[in-house]
Amino acid sequence: QEQLVESGGGLVQAGGSLRLSCTASGRIFSGNNMAWYRQAPGKQRELVARITSGSSTNYADSVKGRFTISKNNAENTVYLQMNSLKPEDTAVYYCNAIYRWTNYWGQGTQVTVSS
């Protein structure tokens, strides 16, 4: 069964850092289209960062300069390095993959930033 496995969420103080990891099956990862989304309480899920073929990336304006998405092809893993965290970054973060025009999602990992 195709699966995305996330780790790295937690509780941090404002200004701190977290690194999220998402490991996908080889087949899904080979689609070369991985992303992180987040959903805060009462809000819609939003794209945070995406990485595609050739390590092309794009970011939400709200996280530019603070978050970095990267991947390790040998480990089928995508990362989200989050620095200078703000309380408004508090959300459930979801790993996403697109393979053959189908979206795959992780279970989500909670990130809470205290002020």
Side-chain angles (χ1 to χ4, degrees), residues 52-72:
T52 54
S53 297
S55 296
S56 296
T57 60
N58 65 279
Y59 297 90
D61 288 342
S62 59
V63 307
K64 286 180 180 177
R66 300 188 298 120
F67 291 9
T68 302
I69 188 170
S70 62
K71 62 180 180 178
N72 185 318

Side-chain angles (χ1 to χ4, degrees), residues 31-78:
N32 293 313
N33 196 341
M34 305 290 295
W36 289 96
Y37 286 72
R38 68 186 181 187
Q39 187 167 21
K43 299 186 183 298
Q44 296 294 110
R45 188 172 299 185
E46 65 173 347
L47 176 67
V48 176
R50 182 174 296 279
I51 186 165
T52 54
S53 297
S55 296
S56 296
T57 60
N58 65 279
Y59 297 90
D61 288 342
S62 59
V63 307
K64 286 180 180 177
R66 300 188 298 120
F67 291 9
T68 302
I69 188 170
S70 62
K71 62 180 180 178
N72 185 318
N73 292 332
E75 297 178 354
N76 296 337
T77 301
V78 62

Side-chain angles (χ1 to χ4, degrees), residues 12-34:
V12 298
Q13 65 181 14
S17 298
L18 283 174
R19 189 193 192 201
L20 306 183
S21 299
C22 171
T23 299
S25 72
R27 184 173 70 93
I28 296 301
F29 195 84
S30 72
N32 293 313
N33 196 341
M34 305 290 295

